[in-house]
Amino acid sequence: MTETTTEKPKLATCSLAGCFGCHMSILDIDERILELVDLVDFDKSPINDKKTFTDRCLVGLIEGGCSTEENVHVLESFRNNCDILISVGACAITGGIPALRNNIPLTECLAEAYLDGPTVYNPRGVIPRDPEIPLCLNNIYPCHEVVKIDYFLPGCPPSADTIWEGLVALLNGKPLDLPYELVKYD
């Protein structure tokens, strides 16, 4: 007698320029995380600490916008390795709080952070230029301005129920059509 095993779809997640609140909402699905583990295998994700893709993923959840060249490379990698890409939360969808710096030239932001800020101690007066530090972009970009995004889960962060319902719908081949109660913010 041979046993047939069906591979579960793979789910990948990442956090770009954001606060990690959307990943906290993923964890806030509470005991449903056990149901999620029955539905998917986590691939590249801080949830399981996998740093690289091991296989093609059905769904990629992206938290945060792009503020560095490294963020852009990570986002492009997710687009290349995931069939469905979802922007999760305000930072991924609009740039969020980090995008408030878009009205200030990057040189002024760096000067405030490293030279002129009230708590800065930098006797050499040098802005770091180490190759290990990702290069900042002039603006913060929402994910859809960098790659094609298939779905958006709004909120800051989206509720655990919103993320759960969205994932379950997609994993079951249904359209992502969430009820108003899960995406309203009025």
Side-chain angles (χ1 to χ4, degrees), residues 37-166:
V37 170
D38 285 340
L39 294 172
V40 300
D41 283 329
F42 278 89
D43 201 75
K44 178 179 170 46
S45 176
I47 292 174
N48 60 6
D49 202 30
K50 285 188 182 173
K51 308 280 191 235
T52 59
F53 284 100
T54 61
D55 204 353
R56 182 119 191 114
C57 294
L58 176 64
V59 177
L61 300 177
I62 307 295
E63 165 187 3
C66 291
S67 69
T68 67
E69 282 187 346
E70 179 183 28
N71 293 154
V72 171
H73 294 305
V74 168
L75 183 56
E76 289 171 340
S77 174
F78 266 74
R79 179 72 276 172
N80 291 333
N81 286 284
C82 299
D83 296 334
I84 300 168
L85 204 54
I86 304 172
S87 282
V88 181
C91 293
I93 295 170
T94 66
I97 299 282
L100 291 174
R101 83 158 168 86
N102 287 353
N103 295 319
I104 303 166
L106 180 58
T107 54
E108 286 183 36
C109 291
L110 293 173
E112 182 69 18
Y114 295 108
L115 304 174
D116 305 327
T119 60
V120 171
Y121 175 74
N122 184 352
R124 293 185 323 160
V126 175
I127 295 175
R129 285 177 169 55
D130 190 295
E132 293 294 316
I133 299 173
L135 183 62
C136 288
L137 302 174
N138 286 328
N139 286 307
I140 308 291
Y141 296 95
C143 294
H144 68 275
E145 290 186 11
V146 178
V147 300
K148 179 186 180 291
I149 298 293
D150 301 298
Y151 296 102
F152 301 87
L153 293 177
C156 185
S159 71
D161 290 334
T162 300
I163 293 171
W164 172 254
E165 292 298 326

